Amino acid sequence: MKIAIFCGSMSDRKLMKNAEDLLKELNILYIYYIISAHRLPDVLLKTIQKIEIKKVDVIIAGAGLSAHLPGIISSHTYLPVIGVPIYNYPNPLSGQDSLFSMIQMPKGVPVATVGINNSYNAALLAIRILSIKYDKIKKLLFKFKEKTRTKLIQKIEKNL
Amino acid sequence: MKIAIFCGSMSDRKLMKNAEDLLKELNILYIYYIISAHRLPDVLLKTIQKIEIKKVDVIIAGAGLSAHLPGIISSHTYLPVIGVPIYNYPNPLSGQDSLFSMIQMPKGVPVATVGINNSYNAALLAIRILSIKYDKIKKLLFKFKEKTRTKLIQKIEKNL
Amino acid sequence: MKIAIFCGSMSDRKLMKNAEDLLKELNILYIYYIISAHRLPDVLLKTIQKIEIKKVDVIIAGAGLSAHLPGIISSHTYLPVIGVPIYNYPNPLSGQDSLFSMIQMPKGVPVATVGINNSYNAALLAIRILSIKYDKIKKLLFKFKEKTRTKLIQKIEKNL
Amino acid sequence: MKIAIFCGSMSDRKLMKNAEDLLKELNILYIYYIISAHRLPDVLLKTIQKIEIKKVDVIIAGAGLSAHLPGIISSHTYLPVIGVPIYNYPNPLSGQDSLFSMIQMPKGVPVATVGINNSYNAALLAIRILSIKYDKIKKLLFKFKEKTRTKLIQKIEKNL
Amino acid sequence: MKIAIFCGSMSDRKLMKNAEDLLKELNILYIYYIISAHRLPDVLLKTIQKIEIKKVDVIIAGAGLSAHLPGIISSHTYLPVIGVPIYNYPNPLSGQDSLFSMIQMPKGVPVATVGINNSYNAALLAIRILSIKYDKIKKLLFKFKEKTRTKLIQKIEKNL
Amino acid sequence: MKIAIFCGSMSDRKLMKNAEDLLKELNILYIYYIISAHRLPDVLLKTIQKIEIKKVDVIIAGAGLSAHLPGIISSHTYLPVIGVPIYNYPNPLSGQDSLFSMIQMPKGVPVATVGINNSYNAALLAIRILSIKYDKIKKLLFKFKEKTRTKLIQKIEKNL
Amino acid sequence: MKIAIFCGSMSDRKLMKNAEDLLKELNILYIYYIISAHRLPDVLLKTIQKIEIKKVDVIIAGAGLSAHLPGIISSHTYLPVIGVPIYNYPNPLSGQDSLFSMIQMPKGVPVATVGINNSYNAALLAIRILSIKYDKIKKLLFKFKEKTRTKLIQKIEKNL
Amino acid sequence: MKIAIFCGSMSDRKLMKNAEDLLKELNILYIYYIISAHRLPDVLLKTIQKIEIKKVDVIIAGAGLSAHLPGIISSHTYLPVIGVPIYNYPNPLSGQDSLFSMIQMPKGVPVATVGINNSYNAALLAIRILSIKYDKIKKLLFKFKEKTRTKLIQKIEKNL
């Protein structure tokens, strides 16, 4: 087990589907937790404590509105935590609330934030982090980038 | 003991001085906790659990940047929690980050947010809440409003 | 009678339905006033004056655009006033206008503001405030939080 | 008496000095009221009621933060109300709070809003409005514009 | 002829229909000009010059995006100019571009700006301005406000 | 004469000094006009009409607040117009008002906008445009870029 | 060949269709490149280097989100680069991200930015730039402006 | 060598001093590159290519305004890239331009963004990432967190 993904509700999980799709495509194992930081704070804490035993290397956490989930996780762990600010249409404030809540963390508790609703990049960032430790994943990442590149070039040539 | 005030650092406490001044002027007891939600999360949790024993009725919490403190407290208590978004010049984003982080809480975990850096109103709101329970505080509040009013009218008359 | 809810129009009332649903679910009595702060200012003032006689403890007021209603009420009462900034799609400015109009009150006239369109949290905050005075409501609140918690945990377990 | 100016405090009056300077320069009479919309709402109402007797034609009102003053006045009068959103440095939010609070009035209660802290334009707008009724002021306005124009052209020629 | 309305295109005229409806309801004459400030600047200038001959007292001008139309008109006339910032969905920037372009005029060239897309208030403001000059319109305005008020109160009573 | 620079006041000219410094350094002639778009609209129009006779190829125009100057010029000419949004501290709104007023021009009247207060880039853009026509300026531009590059590399090496 | 257009994907090309339509209408040749600045950076660099050989005079580049494409191109060329900030609904942040990413370039690397999604103005700006060099295009531009003007005036007359 | 830090100028390096101080305090080696992404793009590319040979595991890059540096680096490497949005007072836009430019990267090119000017958190995030690979750094991180914690608790006790 290398990656743990957290979000606060099933509807957030749907908005973060791109992350799961990428991890599945690359056959990278992950464990998923759906726990609201605010409504089940004690369950969240117990879960974070169990994670290090489970040999998780990187954590991804998505949250909307007052998006505290990744920050709270980061305050309870030594692992790198990647945050995905979620914008769930037709919420007002265009995801600026989630982005600011997530990224403006105080000194000492970093959250590696990616673009609004960009869970794909969160997964790819997690893989890049794993790749500095696991050679197998580094090779996988190389092959994946090569494949993506080839597809992009073919697409361009087709369009010209 | 009726009111508990929380903030994350001594510099935040200074920015919330108006709240303390008002409570002192009206002789309302309060207890003060300076605990960073992100850097000492376990100390924070233990403190919140002890609060109900101490007969606290209302909680005021101020925080800046990714201002999670009032939200975390609210998720661990049944008491009304008043939040003060703190803007500490020359931080960028004008306190919009603290305001959005604090107020856009999910369903089920309310934070009664007041204006940016307006800890005076937080204290006054806490007193209004206490006044529905304690007749003594209701009388105090009446007298205080009358006094403020008289001062304002005198000031106007002086200026004319 | 414990809670009074104010809003400016029937369409605002619809957007605040979550507050009523929660109060009904918990059998908490409330009285509803639909009065535009700007179009019927004298009717509003008379209504506020009658409220204290009716033993109201907490006021909830929702408003959109230049959202003055909760502030005006707060300036005429000693009771705690909870404000709900309303965003009525497809109005421009994403509810930032209502949020800023409502929360940036001057010293001395607090409005306990909750998230944009989050009338559910306004109702829950009102109940938390009542619970410091009425033991019956405190018990109700405990039971409700327990029930909500159990439901959330079952939902998580079902999804795993 | 032709113009009435309202603001909420002496510090706001200082920020609106340009309006008074222009009216004095053009010898246009005005009456000044310093009344906080939120802290002395009843005094404000009585003052508005007296205004029509005093033969006021136009009202200027400046306010900061949750800038409700011009809107409240507008809801109690048939006269045109000009609003000046005040930004008092180092308040956060750059006067966007006052601007949005003032201008986003509901249908039926207009506030003729000018630029942030631009009380000079508020006074000039008031004079333009008076000039449609009073020929003397129309002539004054013509002369003033001519004078300003000549000064500007001389300034340009001097700089070339 | 008392009011002139300007806008830059037929689609803007549609978004300002509320102004026309109100003026028609109250039988107030107006003349309409559809001229783009940027695409037909010379036609615009000639039109403004002809306006004073036509005994226009007040000008209303609506514009979107870089909303220069009311400002340009104001720089060529002594009459009061009312500006309506237009937000034409799905344009980006939520009308903040039109609002800022219109209201932040330099000293000496005021635009009396109303809320985004709130042409109804622009028309009502124009009527309030006319009412200080024409007693007939003052009476009309009184009757209209009384009628609106009665309707609102009936609506409330029906809903209770 | 190849470049014409417009701004509305001497204080704006000071904020655009970088443009003049660059043009002087590269010995490129320019003519400067200080004319307020709103306060001297007729003088502005006459000046624009004279420009084409003067063999100007590119126009630079800087403006703050409701920054209409470049747009008005663009509506009266066939030449490329470069706009510099000016932010004059401590104006509120951080130059967002000038940026939005300048860049959101309607279809048919383009303004080539550069960064806020970045008159240096406006001048450089003007030179790039001239360089497609004048070989001499193309060579100058090449030499200048080479020189800047060498300086930057030396600076880096010195710091290592 | 006079104009080169760049964008990062087929979906961006669709959002920039107005530019192509205008260039086709005026029979101005252009070459189109669809290359992601971030996903195929080396292909992009090689393409930019080949452009000067192809006698391109002006470059148009459109990009969304972290809209780096025009800036990267500008850093590799001496030609004027026009940037179109793209807003692809329902992306959050309303195109403010693309606008700020594109326009706030450092000193020395200008991007001539037009309004959000306003590729029509980008094409027209490119034509204005070409017109200072090519008399044929200047004449074309004159005729086009005359034609547009006549159409606008007919449209107005039809509507009156 | 484990960490490489990039920024565009000496003044940016000063604003990122907290990162260097933390790395020095923990005796973690880093290499520093000061290269403008826009003014020396070819030097930047060559430097990125050399980095993998130098056994760098993580990259930190800070940038202001149109903050493209981290994104460009990310597009040329497989390593995790951490971005620091820089706000250099008195630049306008409060660092929102750098934040949006940096974080809204397209799918496939992630930048792990931290808070505005929060280079301390960037360094700490880099250390957390290294700690999943190097046990020595994991131990260091544990000790450091323990030390910080003890200091914080002592500070609190002193203040009580």
Side-chain angles (χ1 to χ4, degrees), chain G residues 50-151:
Chain G
K50 277 185 294 188
I51 271 186
E52 290 178 39
I53 313 168
K54 297 202 179 181
K55 305 208 169 174
V56 165
D57 287 304
V58 193
I59 296 168
I60 294 169
L65 299 168
S66 286
H68 300 183
L69 184 61
I72 293 176
I73 296 174
S74 182
S75 76
H76 286 283
T77 185
Y78 296 71
L79 296 173
V81 177
I82 298 167
V84 185
I86 290 181
Y87 168 59
N88 201 341
Y89 179 83
N91 271 358
L93 298 180
S94 312
Q96 281 205 27
D97 44 4
S98 355
L99 175 55
F100 290 170
S101 304
M102 198 172 277
I103 204 167
Q104 289 291 79
M105 292 294 292
K107 277 172 64 178
V109 194
V111 169
T113 311
V114 295
I116 300 175
N117 284 348
N118 201 336
S119 67
Y120 183 95
N121 271 5
L124 194 56
L125 178 59
I127 296 170
R128 285 195 183 194
I129 291 173
L130 293 176
S131 81
I132 72 165
K133 183 178 180 183
Y134 305 101
D135 266 348
K136 206 179 115 188
I137 287 181
K138 182 163 250 161
K139 279 171 201 155
L140 208 91
L141 185 59
F142 269 61
K143 251 188 238 163
F144 176 67
K145 213 174 174 183
E146 223 36 62
K147 213 178 77 185
T148 315
R149 186 188 158 79
T150 313
K151 258 196 258 170

Side-chain angles (χ1 to χ4, degrees), chain D residues 24-35:
Chain D
K24 281 176 193 161
E25 189 186 338
L26 297 179
N27 278 317
I28 293 174
L29 286 181
Y30 61 92
I31 184 160
Y32 219 108
Y33 299 98
I34 299 175
I35 308 170

Side-chain angles (χ1 to χ4, degrees), chain B residues 37-98:
Chain B
H38 293 300
R39 282 174 289 197
L40 291 174
D42 53 330
V43 177
L44 177 63
L45 291 196
K46 277 176 209 150
T47 310
I48 300 172
Q49 282 151 7
K50 276 185 296 188
I51 271 186
E52 290 179 38
I53 311 167
K54 296 202 180 182
K55 306 211 169 170
V56 164
D57 287 305
V58 191
I59 296 170
I60 294 171
L65 300 168
S66 287
H68 300 181
L69 185 60
I72 294 176
I73 295 175
S74 182
S75 75
H76 286 284
T77 185
Y78 295 72
L79 297 173
V81 176
I82 299 168
V84 185
I86 290 181
Y87 168 58
N88 201 341
Y89 179 84
N91 272 357
L93 299 180
S94 312
Q96 281 204 28
D97 43 3
S98 353

Side-chain angles (χ1 to χ4, degrees), chain E residues 32-43:
Chain E
Y32 219 108
Y33 299 99
I34 299 175
I35 309 169
S36 162
H38 293 298
R39 282 173 290 197
L40 290 175
D42 53 331
V43 179

Side-chain angles (χ1 to χ4, degrees), chain D residues 40-103:
Chain D
L40 291 174
D42 53 332
V43 179
L44 177 63
L45 291 197
K46 277 177 209 150
T47 312
I48 300 172
Q49 282 152 4
K50 278 185 293 188
I51 271 187
E52 289 179 39
I53 313 167
K54 297 203 180 182
K55 305 210 170 170
V56 165
D57 287 307
V58 192
I59 295 169
I60 295 171
L65 300 168
S66 286
H68 301 182
L69 184 61
I72 293 176
I73 296 175
S74 181
S75 75
H76 285 283
T77 184
Y78 296 71
L79 297 174
V81 177
I82 299 168
V84 185
I86 291 182
Y87 167 58
N88 201 341
Y89 179 84
N91 272 357
L93 298 180
S94 312
Q96 281 203 27
D97 42 4
S98 352
L99 175 54
F100 290 170
S101 304
M102 198 173 278
I103 204 165

